[in-house]
Amino acid sequence: MFRNDLVDQEDPVLASHTAVAGGVAVPQYDLELLLADRCAQLGVDVRRGIAVKGVRSTGGDLLADADADADADADVVVETDAGELTAGWVVAADGGRSPIRKQLGIDFIGTDPELVGYQCIADFDDTTGLSHGWNWTPRGVYAYGPIPGRILVARFGPQPEDRDAPVTLEELQEVVRDVIQTKVTLSAIHGRATRWSDNARRVKHYRHGRVLFAGDAAHVHSPFRAQGLNLGFGDAVNLGWKLAATFQGWAPAGLLDTYDTERSPIADWVLDWTRAQVALMRGDERTKQLRRVVGDELFTVPGATNKMLAVSSGIMQHYDVADDATAPVGTTVGDVVLTSGRRLADFAHDGRFVLVDRTHDGRFADAVQHLSERIAYVADSAADMELPSLLVRPDGIIIWAADQDDEPASDDATKRLDAATLRWVGTR
Ligand SMILES: Cc1cc2nc3c(=O)[nH]c(=O)nc-3n(C[C@H](O)[C@H](O)[C@H](O)COP(=O)(O)OP(=O)(O)OC[C@H]3O[C@@H](n4cnc5c(N)ncnc54)[C@H](O)[C@@H]3O)c2cc1C
């Protein structure tokens, strides 16, 4: 198990990402309300209760290669049970069983599952032998609590014949008894029990002409270490501004295709980590010992737990955004507090790039003045130069940083800033 007491909170990388350092868990319900609010503010029209039946192109090939010309004329017609809609672009965010992915016949490449998991809130007649927290048994793994009645159970073995059939009390009872190997008795399930697996797959390309895949529609894996929603969020944040730039006509050449090149390796990495986690849960004696070595010996090495936290939270992610770039370029900007006491994030709400100019003479202002519609310029001169001047993309990725010793002037920093704006922000 991940042990919070082994995290070194003094680690500067963790400390600069306050949400990760503090380990903030956000209930999905709250997140959905927050997003719905934001959609309402932006005037996004969310239509609920409408089923998508299929998509087709008004002209060219809907399944065009990922590198197809973004300016091809064809639109996408979305067929729904409430009529047809025509769109320039469609983002298929329709979940792991994505009907759009299936309709288009797009391969979902990866590894078959070896366990079946269940999660629900249940009433129990008999809890004999049920232990709170996470528990390993020769047949699988289960977690009981911390919410009263919550049980998560995963059993290694074959998949159910009908993956879509609702989970019955009998099915759950049988699995719980088999994994825990006691006579634990369930009397009722509250709401709906979910069934899932460690099926680990992804689409080869995130973009197929004017259809883009995001979230579970693009990748699925076991839910251990709780990374699925974060991974989908990463897709959305990466894609949103690029699609807007393409739609608005200012995207530099190839911008939209960087969605695929940047997100594919991240999905591969999450799939591989979750595969490794499942492998560590097998019930045999050797795996039990492997679990002990990894958990009790390797993770107690100083820095190991921090690395795991930084990697699994995503703050270690790195995109190839500039030639010969070294960190922090390519990484996600931390929770930067400016000299004024305001946060860098405060300037990012309107979806523009943010340039934080830390020089005394506002040296970098001229380089971005002509792009003010797309770059928010923030002068933040300070006596200490611990934080260099930065240019941050709308998705929080640093694409340029002045060197610490850029006081006094350095032509090189300005040249690199010009190259970064040309590559990511465009020319007008
Ligand atoms: C047991 C379990 C625990 C998990 N715990 C965590 C966790 O702690 N943290 C975490 O980050 N992730 C967790 N995950 C993963 C997370 O739930 C998923 O990664 C996430 O919900 C995927 O979001 P999504 O929007 O891509 O897809 P979904 O949430 O599947 O949403 C897809 C949407 O598309 C709609 N849809 C599908 N077909 C159609 C159609 N034809 N017409 C119209 N609408 C359609 C569906 O109704 C649905 O609303 C967990 C998953 C499981 C199974």
Side-chain angles (χ1 to χ4, degrees), residues 127-140:
T127 55
T128 312
L130 208 53
S131 304
H132 279 277
W134 285 84
N135 302 275
W136 285 262
T137 80
R139 305 282 294 130

Side-chain angles (χ1 to χ4, degrees), residues 97-340:
R97 294 174 191 179
S98 170
I100 295 181
R101 190 188 67 231
K102 288 180 181 166
Q103 184 223 326
L104 296 180
I106 291 165
D107 286 344
F108 212 31
I109 306 156
T111 47
D112 291 334
E114 60 177 74
L115 61 74
V116 189
Y118 299 83
Q119 180 167 267
C120 73
I121 309 285
D123 288 336
F124 294 83
D125 276 347
D126 183 357
T127 55
T128 312
L130 208 53
S131 304
H132 279 277
W134 285 84
N135 302 275
W136 285 262
T137 80
R139 305 282 294 130
V141 55
Y142 75 93
Y144 182 44
I147 304 164
R150 180 255 190 170
I151 182 127
L152 178 150
V153 61
R155 175 169 67 177
F156 284 92
Q159 299 297 302
E161 271 175 28
D162 181 0
R163 289 194 319 138
D164 297 325
V167 180
T168 62
L169 188 68
E170 292 69 34
E171 180 184 356
L172 198 59
Q173 172 76 79
E174 189 271 319
V175 177
V176 167
R177 285 190 174 179
D178 186 40
V179 169
I180 303 171
Q181 293 176 346
T182 66
K183 289 285 176 200
V184 167
T185 306
L186 284 79
S187 54
I189 295 174
H190 291 273
R192 213 163 60 100
T194 52
R195 189 197 293 110
W196 41 275
S197 77
D198 61 322
N199 195 22
R201 297 180 185 281
R202 77 166 176 90
V203 289
K204 187 170 178 195
H205 294 296
Y206 280 48
R207 177 177 163 212
H208 289 263
R210 287 177 169 253
V211 180
L212 299 122
F213 288 87
D216 278 19
H219 37 66
V220 293
H221 52 81
S222 84
F224 297 111
R225 190 69 195 133
Q227 292 175 99
L229 201 110
N230 274 345
L231 185 60
F233 253 89
D235 294 344
V237 169
N238 188 288
L239 174 61
W241 71 274
K242 293 176 183 173
L243 196 50
T246 306
F247 191 73
Q248 291 165 7
W250 59 263
L255 180 71
L256 194 57
D257 290 324
T258 64
Y259 171 54
D260 182 69
T261 50
E262 291 187 343
R263 296 306 295 169
S264 288
I266 308 287
D268 280 341
W269 171 80
V270 172
L271 262 59
D272 285 345
W273 259 51
T274 55
R275 285 180 182 119
Q277 283 174 281
V278 170
L280 273 175
M281 289 178 187
R282 292 179 186 139
D284 63 282
E285 186 58 27
R286 286 183 179 82
T287 308
K288 186 175 166 187
Q289 294 312 322
L290 183 61
R291 214 159 38 233
R292 189 189 57 71
V293 169
V294 172
D296 299 346
E297 296 184 26
L298 295 183
F299 269 115
T300 52
V301 170
T305 299
N306 274 43
K307 163 109 195 223
M308 200 274 269
L309 186 58
V311 170
S312 63
S313 64
I315 60 174
M316 286 276 286
Q317 285 170 13
H318 180 271
Y319 296 144
D320 185 15
V321 296
D323 297 336
D324 302 326
T326 51
V329 175
T331 65
T332 303
V333 70
D335 191 13
V336 174
V337 179
L338 303 171
T339 318
S340 61

